[in-house]
Amino acid sequence: MKALRLSDSEWTLMNVLWEHAPCTITQLVALLQGETGWTKHTVITMLSRLGTKGAVRYEEGERAKRFYPTIDRADTQRQETRSFLSRLYGGSLKLMVNTLVGDDRLSEEE
């Protein structure tokens, strides 16, 4: 599978689709309004970008298009994690954990 990079905004929209699909544009605007304040036009633009990337598809509904994710959430999270680890830590999980922990000592429970 080709690596798919999502922007922070695209992650926000995809998380809603993964939880609530299928969704119309009106439903997405309502679900995202409190968190993002996005207008209908912003949601349409985001859906267009995600469609171009192959991350979403739609079906014609009775009154409106219904949007679905075409990528798996867990697979996309794994790809993003690998990319992050590679970019920031040269692929070293140990270096990342050491950076996160810093000088703090972990308890036995942690």
Side-chain angles (χ1 to χ4, degrees):
M1 174 194 263
K2 180 184 166 196
L4 181 67
R5 297 285 308 273
L6 300 178
S7 69
D8 290 346
S9 296
E10 291 167 340
W11 273 103
T12 299
L13 192 144
M14 288 303 299
N15 282 323
V16 170
L17 272 180
W18 281 317
E19 293 294 324
H20 301 283
C23 289
T24 64
I25 291 171
T26 301
Q27 290 168 327
L28 286 168
V29 170
L31 289 165
L32 291 162
Q33 185 64 42
E35 180 182 351
T36 66
W38 290 347
T39 66
K40 177 181 176 180
H41 299 291
T42 302
V43 171
I44 291 169
T45 298
M46 297 297 297
L47 287 168
S48 176
R49 286 186 200 164
L50 289 164
T52 299
K53 290 182 176 187
V56 299
R57 68 177 177 83
Y58 69 87
E59 293 177 359
E60 294 291 342
E62 289 180 29
R63 303 180 86 184
K65 293 177 183 174
R66 297 175 352 164
F67 290 84
Y68 298 82
T70 60
I71 56 176
D72 180 71
R73 177 186 253 170
D75 289 342
T76 306
Q77 289 169 329
R78 272 191 293 281
Q79 287 177 9
E80 186 69 23
T81 300
R82 285 186 198 114
S83 175
F84 170 81
L85 193 60
S86 178
R87 284 191 326 270
L88 273 65
Y89 299 99
S92 171
L93 181 59
K94 181 179 177 181
L95 181 57
M96 183 186 82
V97 171
N98 283 338
T99 301
L100 292 173
V101 173
D103 292 331
D104 295 338
R105 296 179 63 90
L106 295 176
S107 68
E108 286 294 321
E109 188 175 302
E110 293 173 317

